Amino acid sequence: MDFETKNVRNAAISGHGQTGKTTLFEHLMFVGKAIAQTADVESGKTVSDNSPEEISRKISIYTTLSHLTWNNKILNIWDTPGSSDFVGEVISAFRSCEYALMLVDSRSGAQIETVKLWRDLDRRNKPRMVFMNRVDDDRGNVAAANKDIHDKFNVEITPITIPVGNGSAYKGVIDVLKGKMYKKPAPGEIEKAEEIPADYMEMYKNARDVIAGSAAEGDDDLLVKFIDEGQLSDEEISLGLKSAFAANKIVPVFAGDPINNSGLVSLLDFMADIAPSPLERLETAVTAENGTASVKILPDKPFSALVVKTAGDQFSGKLSYIKVLSGSLTPDVEVNNITRHKKEKIGKIYRCIGKKLEEVKAVAAGDICIASKLAATETSDTLAADPEAMCFKPLRHPDPVYSIAVAAADKKAEDKMSTQLSKAAETDRTLTFQYNAETRQNVLSGMGELQLSIILERIKADTGITVETSIPRIAYRETVQKKAEAEYTHKKQSGGHGQYARVVLSVQPLKRGEEYKFTNAVFGGAIPKNYIPGVEKGVKQAMEHGVLAGYPVTDIDVTVLDGKDHPVDSSDLAFQLAARNALSDAMVKASPILLEPILNLSVWVDTKYVGDIMSDLSSRRGRILGQNTIGSGIEEIKAQVPHAELLRYAIDLRAITSATGSFETSFDHYDPISGKTADNVIAEAKAFNAKLSEEKE
């Protein structure tokens, strides 16, 4: 069955880990008759957690897309991970949806990952609704959880359903929009509407007044009527809620017990009838001038689309999840990859329920589908019928915060390991894999230890390659502290033409960050001009490996003062060698020193952890720059910290904050180090270089 754009709804279920997202997703699929029966997470047979690593760990690692039909609408729903290690998966889902369904445990309120994701939705100005889970638990408290959301996010919540009873006394929910009660059904059954009990009528009327006030926020005429008359009709409330929610002016809140299919009919009704269609939201495109423009999702324009996720399937191969943004997509057509300036042939297109693919004949603007085996297409690419179409703004993924050096235990498998890790980085844009020529290591970076360990486990399971890991080496630098001169004569005679060049040069420090300056101060042709480029080349070669620990040299001013050539034996190579040795000798005299990279660090933590974080950063030789209160009980701490002290910070911060903190880093500058710290770095560098030499032999 094909659906017009106006009948498409896209949502992402998100929130803190262990709040029950996968269970809610599973039971929505059941109530919507997309699956015949439900499974629990422990069984490893749920629709969404279907990969071997998800089944073994019993957590969501990847976003899973499924769909159902409800009230003649198609609901595309993503189940997203709750761990910050897999935030890239959540970002892909958010980008493809018109709104998010935030799951909150009524026992705990809004936890840290919910707070972080809420902030991301704020940056996108994207609507969100809340489902209060586990209201049947005696520790659950919907009123307290609602207040927590109000206080942390400074929003007025709009209760669409309210629980009848709490904990073991929970009986079901009242749908305030419909004025009906839905009793908790028998196991395996679906809720049915009935009349509201008399002792809950006052609660219902109060909640309806709140809903009417929220609906009035969506339309100026409704607001005037509500102020004048104090009430709105059912039709006016639905119209007002639809406008207010699409404009992100209200936060609808639901309650229930998904594991018993309670509270889900009202939720699905709202998602189908009130939540925005793609027609009511805008997409961002990149203009020819590299600016941005907001564009509507229109069904009557030529085809264009954004690839929001790329995954691999052992049977179907590479799968591209495509959000159609204009026109429609049909099978067996050729399209343009605008991002990569290549043609792509679309074969069959699919919808999916978890890993089960269902072939379809057309997908309208606003809808999400899957195409297989698009060789050149990756996540964030724009596809379009028109080769001159604008690109859509790429997904913005956070920079990696945790890195490990990797090497195949069997050196013969090194190339195969690199191929596997490169493929992993193509499908998950929060991963990077690259060879660092400076430290001579392959480095894998991502959002956390769990994410990287899962990648390596999967490679071993698929290929048998064991990957050894270590802490990455730091890209230190070397420089000088004073001015010094040196001369070097390169002289070699072994029959025929010899080699001769004499170079006298000086070196002195530059200001930090100025990197390099070269001056030719030779007079009288002591070094012919045609050899000066060779002298500078030799200087740059010497700068590749400093005299202390072999790290690159920076922030030096080199002046060539004098020299001598030979009419027969001089050459460009001879002057390169003389200059290289002269600079090394001059650096030894110029009080060489090590420089270490200093990173800007931003840490976001609950207020109660601020003292612990400050103390920890001080122990890491960090310099605190400031502290900001950003709301929702979260503090931002800014500091500058040596890179060497942050190699395991993702793990340490998780321990300090009970896995609730997050951070970002960026390079700022290099600072000198000396004493025992420098001695240790030099000793480690010499040991590493010796090991490499042994391996080459």
Side-chain angles (χ1 to χ4, degrees), residues 85 402 446-454 648 650-651 654:
D85 280 37
Y402 179 68
M447 302 310 298
E449 183 182 28
L450 176 61
Q451 179 194 29
L452 301 192
S453 65
I454 287 173
R648 292 180 57 84
I651 298 172
R654 184 181 294 268

Side-chain angles (χ1 to χ4, degrees), residues 323-581:
K323 171 77 176 283
V324 180
L325 297 174
S326 65
S328 62
L329 180 61
T330 56
D332 302 316
V333 296
E334 189 176 71
V335 300
N336 298 283
N337 186 317
I338 307 300
T339 307
R340 302 182 187 277
H341 308 290
K342 293 184 177 181
K343 298 278 189 181
E344 279 281 24
K345 176 66 182 293
I346 304 287
K348 295 178 180 180
I349 57 175
Y350 307 91
R351 297 191 191 280
C352 65
I353 297 177
K355 63 181 179 181
K356 178 185 175 184
L357 300 180
E358 301 175 345
E359 191 175 343
V360 292
K361 298 193 186 238
V363 175
D367 210 341
I368 303 171
C369 66
I370 298 173
S372 64
K373 300 176 183 176
L374 301 186
T377 297
E378 302 296 343
T379 302
S380 282
D381 285 0
T382 295
L383 304 177
D386 181 0
E388 303 300 320
M390 289 191 298
C391 277
F392 293 103
K393 188 176 181 181
L395 281 72
R396 180 189 175 275
H397 288 105
D399 294 329
V401 296
Y402 179 68
S403 299
I404 53 175
V406 294
D410 179 359
K411 296 305 177 186
K412 295 178 181 178
E414 197 81 12
D415 288 344
K416 192 173 182 181
M417 176 203 74
S418 295
T419 299
Q420 293 295 317
L421 289 173
S422 296
K423 286 182 179 179
E426 287 175 2
T427 58
D428 186 345
R429 292 307 176 89
T430 63
L431 283 174
T432 63
F433 174 69
Q434 57 190 2
Y435 177 72
N436 188 326
E438 199 170 301
T439 62
R440 288 166 286 181
Q441 290 179 311
N442 285 308
V443 178
L444 179 65
S445 303
M447 302 310 298
E449 183 182 28
L450 176 61
Q451 179 194 29
L452 301 192
S453 65
I454 287 173
I455 295 291
L456 300 183
E457 287 172 9
R458 190 167 71 225
I459 288 175
K460 184 173 183 180
D462 293 346
T463 67
I465 297 173
T466 298
V467 179
E468 297 176 340
T469 65
S470 60
I471 296 175
R473 301 182 71 221
I474 297 295
Y476 291 99
R477 295 286 187 269
E478 297 184 25
T479 193
V480 298
Q481 299 182 83
K482 66 181 184 180
K483 186 174 182 178
E485 293 182 12
E487 68 171 278
Y488 189 91
T489 300
H490 176 71
K491 188 174 182 180
K492 186 175 181 183
Q493 191 71 45
S494 57
H497 284 302
Q499 295 182 28
Y500 181 86
R502 176 175 174 266
V503 172
V504 182
L505 54 72
S506 69
V507 62
Q508 61 184 345
L510 287 174
K511 288 183 179 178
R512 199 68 61 234
E514 291 187 2
E515 296 184 0
Y516 168 69
K517 182 180 177 182
F518 179 83
T519 304
N520 176 19
V522 175
F523 291 98
I527 300 177
K529 288 184 178 180
N530 59 305
Y531 290 136
I532 295 299
V535 172
E536 184 171 13
K537 188 173 182 180
V539 167
K540 290 183 176 179
Q541 288 173 351
M543 290 177 64
E544 292 175 4
H545 303 287
V547 297
L548 288 176
Y551 288 106
V553 178
T554 190
D555 298 339
I556 59 170
D557 181 350
V558 179
T559 302
V560 186
L561 302 171
D562 198 4
K564 187 176 181 181
D565 72 320
H566 187 279
V568 176
D569 293 341
S570 287
S571 65
D572 190 73
L573 176 60
F575 274 99
Q576 284 182 41
L577 295 171
R580 191 164 68 191
N581 286 284

Side-chain angles (χ1 to χ4, degrees), residues 674-689:
S674 58
K676 187 176 180 180
T677 302
D679 292 342
N680 290 339
V681 171
I682 293 169
E684 290 172 3
K686 289 181 177 179
F688 181 81
N689 292 332

Side-chain angles (χ1 to χ4, degrees), residues 74-121:
I74 183 165
L75 277 58
N76 296 310
I77 306 175
W78 296 90
D79 179 27
T80 70
S83 168
S84 60
D85 280 37
F86 312 111
V87 67
E89 296 283 321
V90 186
I91 287 170
S92 297
F94 278 177
R95 181 63 185 273
S96 68
C97 295
E98 283 66 57
Y99 66 100
L101 172 55
M102 307 296 289
L103 195 61
V104 173
D105 191 326
S106 65
R107 303 171 301 182
S108 310
Q111 295 162 279
I112 187 65
E113 289 305 316
T114 300
V115 172
K116 288 153 62 177
L117 294 173
W118 197 286
R119 285 168 46 213
D120 186 82
L121 291 168

Side-chain angles (χ1 to χ4, degrees), residues 563-694:
K564 187 176 181 181
D565 72 320
H566 187 279
V568 176
D569 293 341
S570 287
S571 65
D572 190 73
L573 176 60
F575 274 99
Q576 284 182 41
L577 295 171
R580 191 164 68 191
N581 286 284
L583 180 61
S584 295
D585 290 349
M587 283 194 63
V588 171
K589 300 175 184 178
S591 299
I593 192 171
L594 281 177
L595 300 174
E596 66 175 346
I598 304 298
L599 304 187
N600 289 319
L601 172 70
S602 295
V603 187
W604 292 276
V605 294
D606 283 338
T607 304
K608 63 183 177 181
Y609 295 117
V610 168
D612 293 334
I613 294 299
M614 295 279 200
S615 176
D616 178 69
L617 292 179
S618 295
S619 72
R620 296 174 187 269
R621 299 186 286 131
R623 182 166 67 92
I624 306 297
L625 301 180
Q627 177 182 340
N628 300 314
T629 300
I630 62 174
S632 306
I634 303 297
E635 294 287 323
E636 179 184 22
I637 301 166
K638 290 185 174 293
Q640 288 186 340
V641 187
H643 188 190
E645 302 288 347
L646 295 176
L647 292 174
R648 292 180 57 84
Y649 194 60
I651 298 172
D652 297 338
L653 182 64
R654 184 181 294 268
I656 293 170
T657 64
S658 300
T660 63
S662 64
F663 73 100
E664 292 178 0
T665 62
S666 62
F667 172 77
D668 189 79
H669 67 282
Y670 278 91
D671 261 359
I673 53 172
S674 58
K676 187 176 180 180
T677 302
D679 292 342
N680 290 339
V681 171
I682 293 169
E684 290 172 3
K686 289 181 177 179
F688 181 81
N689 292 332
K691 181 181 178 182
L692 287 182
S693 298
E694 288 177 7

